[in-house]
Amino acid sequence: MLILLFFSFLSNCTSSVYLPLPAIMVYLCMLICICITCCDCCLLGKAVQEQGLPCDYDLSLGPQCAQVSRGCCIDSNPDNQTTPTVGKTHWANTYIQNIAHFIKFYLCVKIGNGNCAHRCTGNGTCTCFKGYKLKPDGKNCEDINECLLGASNCRAGERCINTEGSFRCQREVSCGTGYELTDNNNCKDIDECETGTHNCVPEFECQNTQGSFRCRPKVKCSAGYIQDALGNCIDINECLAQTGPCHPGQLCINTLGSYKCQRNSVNCGRGYHLNEEGTRCEDIDECKGPDAACSGHGCINLVGSYRCECATGYIFNSISRVCEDMNECRHYPGRLCAHKCENTLGSYKCSCTTGFKLANDGRNCDDLNECESNPCSQECANVYGSYQCYCRRGYQLSDNDGVTCEDIDECALPTGGHICSYRCHNTPGSFHCTCPVNGYTLAANGRSCQDVDECVTGTHTCTVNQSCFNVQGGFRCLSFECPTNYRRVGETLERSDTVRCIKSCQPSDVACVLDPVHLVSYTVISMPTFREFTRPEEIVFLRTTVPAYGSYHFGSYDVKFDILEGNVENAFDIIKRVENGMYVGVVRQVKPLIGPLNIVLKLSTSNLTSQGVSHQNIINVYVFVSEFWF
């Protein structure tokens, strides 16, 4: 019957109550729907009024219950409320309490929106677990730093470490050897005997102590013995360990494990012995008997003593009373041997240092001629007490043994690049230089390379119509023709490889007459490859007849020098200077050029007036840069 009633109320509840949080509210709905009445809905309204909420607050109830709850909340007259009858049953009281708990829980969820981080109280406020405090938003919780607030219970020597919701104490100083740290930060002694971490040998047993252990011997020594570190029993010498173990007049004699006392007898001094009767002391003749006192030396007995007559090379020791060897080298330093003295039993022996041999007298040293045994690979020179090895020219003494001669690679020396002008070839004990195969020959000094003038030797291949011009390492066959309106004049006195063409106009050729170019010349120069420059190299000099008199102008005249064509890579420049009172144009090489290279420099010399160029010379310079640099 109760089961059927439960399901009836459940169906009625689900049709009239609409609550969130299904899992929780189903249970609450079942609790309410068992006995919910109009009075219960009124109690809900009164509870809303007590919580200070508006009467139209949405409790998500059914329409009928919501209307009754709202009416009871608005009606402040207590007579209009349904008053429970006196003498409610126990079930009714429990029911009312459950209703009240439900209202508190529901209001907490409804008002607090169920967003409390930790716990929610019945009045709709949030609280935190132990070790946390509520944040200003009234919902979330944050950790309390007990270490910062001094709320920890850590002891002296422990450091407080904050944790989430709590704290822990950590010991600052380690426990030390023989102890271990427990979970409660206490130091506990380690029982090495129990853990087996001791080092006692089998003859000993382990005994634990605070922070350490001891090894005690298993075997106990008897009286009169003491135990050493290895457990062995050693006899105790009571005569030494105890003070006066025997009575006065008695002699203490140690025995194994004990001692005994013996009455004193007559004590004779050194050099005497007790007579047969034991009544008095008699002199001992040390020179007689099986043990000779002086060991082969002469012996003289004395009363209570003796004296030795030591052989040559020995000296008597009055303390030990024996003949000892005399160290002649120490007694007579520097007087017995010329070099080294070595003591022997009863005598001495002389020896010499390296490079000397002992003379016939056995004391002095003569120089040893080491060169007789040929210790050097080439030349040997004997010196006093030693020798010196020498090498022939082109060889050097080895640093390893000082006697072997090794070939000097002259080409590999730091100055090897300057030995030969072109190429160096090392040979045993010497070297030789070579020159390029074509165009050069080795000079008489065997190091320099000289250019072969094929034009002079007749080894050129120029035709009859060509002129042969010698260059570094070869020759060039050139044919220079004068331009139109120019004629060839005689060779210059300075160079035979220069062709000059002077202007020769027809009387009626006005253009030719007005042309300022008066002279066209051709010249050939040859130069080696310059790989490095320390300063510009002057290669061509253009001399004029215009006087300078210390200035660059004479009246209304001036001279200008130009490079018109052929200045490859700007490797050349031209400057103007005065020599012997005349203007001179100097062509300089200012950058290195790598041969083989053929260049034609077109230069000009212009005489300037106030009206312009009055006179101009064109100089064509054929520059042949050789492949090699000597």
Side-chain angles (χ1 to χ4, degrees), residues 319-331:
I319 298 176
S320 62
R321 307 186 67 79
V322 295
C323 289
E324 296 178 344
D325 174 57
M326 176 191 294
N327 192 334
E328 295 86 355
C329 300
R330 185 179 298 172
H331 277 74

Side-chain angles (χ1 to χ4, degrees), residues 33 66 127 152 194 224 260 271 278 307 329 534 541 627:
C33 290
T127 59
S152 66
E194 182 179 350
K260 65 180 180 178
R307 180 169 57 86
C329 300
T534 57
F541 299 90
E627 180 180 0

Side-chain angles (χ1 to χ4, degrees), residues 375-565:
C376 302
S377 62
Q378 289 188 1
E379 304 295 333
C380 177
N382 183 60
V383 295
Y384 186 72
S386 184
Y387 65 98
Q388 179 64 49
C389 293
Y390 295 94
C391 298
R392 303 184 187 97
R393 184 177 180 180
Y395 294 87
Q396 62 183 358
L397 208 58
S398 172
D399 294 333
N400 296 328
D401 53 16
V403 297
T404 304
C405 291
E406 299 174 344
D407 174 54
I408 298 175
D409 188 354
E410 293 84 358
C411 302
L413 294 176
T415 58
H418 305 287
I419 295 177
C420 298
S421 62
Y422 176 62
R423 190 164 294 167
C424 177
H425 299 274
N426 185 61
T427 59
S430 185
F431 68 96
H432 69 272
C433 301
T434 59
C435 296
V437 178
N438 298 320
Y440 295 92
T441 182
L442 194 64
N445 60 9
R447 299 187 180 187
S448 303
C449 292
Q450 291 180 340
D451 174 57
V452 176
D453 193 340
E454 294 83 357
C455 299
V456 174
T457 59
T459 57
H460 62 85
T461 58
C462 299
T463 63
V464 177
N465 298 327
Q466 293 177 327
S467 298
C468 177
F469 294 92
N470 184 63
V471 296
Q472 291 281 343
F475 64 94
R476 293 291 185 274
C477 296
L478 302 176
S479 178
F480 296 121
E481 298 293 337
C482 292
T484 305
N485 296 328
Y486 289 86
R487 60 182 177 80
R488 187 166 180 169
V489 296
E491 305 293 342
T492 64
L493 297 178
E494 294 182 356
R495 303 178 62 91
S496 60
D497 52 359
T498 300
V499 175
R500 302 178 66 194
C501 299
I502 193 169
K503 185 167 66 174
S504 178
C505 300
Q506 297 295 327
S508 60
D509 192 348
V510 178
C512 176
V513 174
L514 296 178
D515 187 359
V517 179
H518 177 72
L519 179 70
V520 177
S521 64
Y522 302 89
T523 186
V524 178
I525 62 173
S526 176
M527 64 175 63
T529 292
F530 289 102
R531 299 185 182 275
E532 295 181 359
F533 270 79
T534 57
R535 57 184 180 84
E537 185 74 16
E538 298 178 353
I539 60 173
V540 177
F541 299 90
L542 304 179
R543 306 185 184 279
T544 66
T545 59
V546 179
Y549 295 104
S551 65
Y552 290 104
H553 298 280
F554 176 72
S556 58
Y557 287 91
D558 192 9
V559 179
K560 181 181 179 182
F561 301 98
D562 286 318
I563 300 178
L564 302 179
E565 296 177 4

Side-chain angles (χ1 to χ4, degrees), residues 2 24 26 33 80 96 104 129 150 152 156 205 226 247 302 318 342 347 358 364 420 424 458 499 528 539 554 579 606:
L2 292 175
I24 299 176
V26 167
C33 290
N80 295 332
I96 293 173
K104 291 182 179 181
F129 297 143
S152 66
E205 59 183 1
I226 188 173
H247 297 293
L302 302 175
S318 59
E342 180 183 356
S347 184
L358 197 64
N364 295 306
C420 298
C424 177
V499 175
I539 60 173
F554 176 72
E579 291 184 2
S606 303

